[in-house]
Amino acid sequence: PGSHRVAVGALDRVAEHLVEVVSLANAVPLLVDLGDAFHLVFKNCPDAVTPYLEGDLVSAAAALEAAGQLQAAHRLRADFAQAVGRCEEAIEELRAAGDLLRAAELAAKSHNLAASAALFEQAGDPARAAETHRAAGDLAAAARCYEEAFLLDEALGCYRELGEGDKCLDLLEKLGRYREAAESAREHADPARALRNLQQIGRRDPDFVDGCVLSAR
């Protein structure tokens, strides 16, 4: 019982499937379609099939590289490096393969949070980059990435921890929290901006009465 990776190869290609065995009492049927691109590890490289199936990833990667399949070769080298505990090497191979999300996840697992956050940014995942920056203690980078991901409440929390009053005021206005924005503008000696925010509070808003009082002040 457990999760297993099943590799099947023929001719010029190898496909892999993940199989979950819940009980040994029942057979687990597995249909492998070597024409299904989703499950293919590589194709068009017959010299890499046997070494891959025998677990010789180094030789399989060399065959793929000789066939001009550099991306697949880098991925196999990353798998090998990760299997033998060379995480930094695996991260670099994944980066070379263009598999930035997997590289970022591996960097996070190896507690290299700064590298992981940068890779998440390169991969176009600002939300995960922000969380990783925050875990690494880089609140400024976390706030910037939260804004890119339109997670403005989270960005506001970071800017408040940093004491960035101007950025907090900008975000409060974007969030439509006009009373808080007005109070922040007052604290920063900008009564004109405070009044502009108070004028945005509608009559049905719970903050309307307090807003009138603040306007008068």
Side-chain angles (χ1 to χ4, degrees):
S3 296
H4 304 273
R5 188 171 64 171
V6 179
V8 178
L11 301 175
D12 66 341
R13 63 194 60 200
V14 168
E16 282 190 347
H17 285 259
L18 286 176
V19 176
E20 186 72 28
V21 178
V22 178
S23 168
L24 299 181
N26 300 308
V28 179
L30 176 63
L31 174 65
V32 179
D33 179 2
L34 291 174
D36 180 2
F38 181 78
H39 294 287
L40 284 182
V41 180
F42 62 82
K43 65 178 180 178
N44 300 325
C45 189
D47 291 340
V49 174
T50 297
Y52 186 89
L53 294 178
E54 292 178 347
D56 185 358
L57 299 185
V58 174
S59 297
L64 285 164
E65 186 173 24
Q69 298 192 43
L70 299 182
Q71 189 178 49
H74 283 302
R75 283 202 175 106
L76 291 199
R77 291 194 179 107
D79 289 342
F80 175 76
Q82 189 175 357
V84 297
R86 301 204 295 258
C87 285
E88 292 302 318
E89 182 181 328
I91 291 166
E92 288 306 311
E93 291 289 351
L94 288 170
R95 192 202 301 267
D99 198 343
L100 298 177
L101 278 177
R102 191 175 155 204
E105 289 163 355
L106 181 56
K109 286 180 182 176
S110 62
H111 306 292
N112 191 347
L113 296 180
S116 176
L119 285 163
F120 277 128
E121 285 196 65
Q122 293 174 37
D125 192 338
R128 294 177 77 181
E131 292 295 335
T132 311
H133 276 307
R134 191 167 197 170
D138 190 345
L139 291 176
R144 171 177 53 77
C145 290
Y146 277 132
E147 283 197 84
E148 289 179 18
F150 300 102
L151 298 170
L152 301 187
D153 282 309
E154 289 82 353
L156 178 61
C158 289
Y159 284 127
R160 279 180 167 157
E161 287 188 57
L162 290 166
E164 295 280 352
D166 290 339
K167 292 296 296 184
C168 289
L169 179 51
D170 289 341
L171 287 178
L172 286 169
E173 290 175 340
K174 288 179 181 178
L175 287 164
R177 290 158 63 171
Y178 297 116
R179 178 187 167 184
E180 291 178 69
E183 290 172 340
S184 179
R186 262 186 87 204
E187 291 170 5
H188 288 82
D190 191 347
R193 189 170 183 179
L195 283 167
R196 285 199 302 273
N197 276 288
L198 292 169
Q199 289 164 1
Q200 301 299 316
I201 301 175
R203 290 181 174 272
R204 296 185 179 181
D205 194 299
D207 287 330
F208 179 72
V209 173
D210 288 340
C212 291
V213 172
L214 283 173
S215 295
R217 289 176 182 168

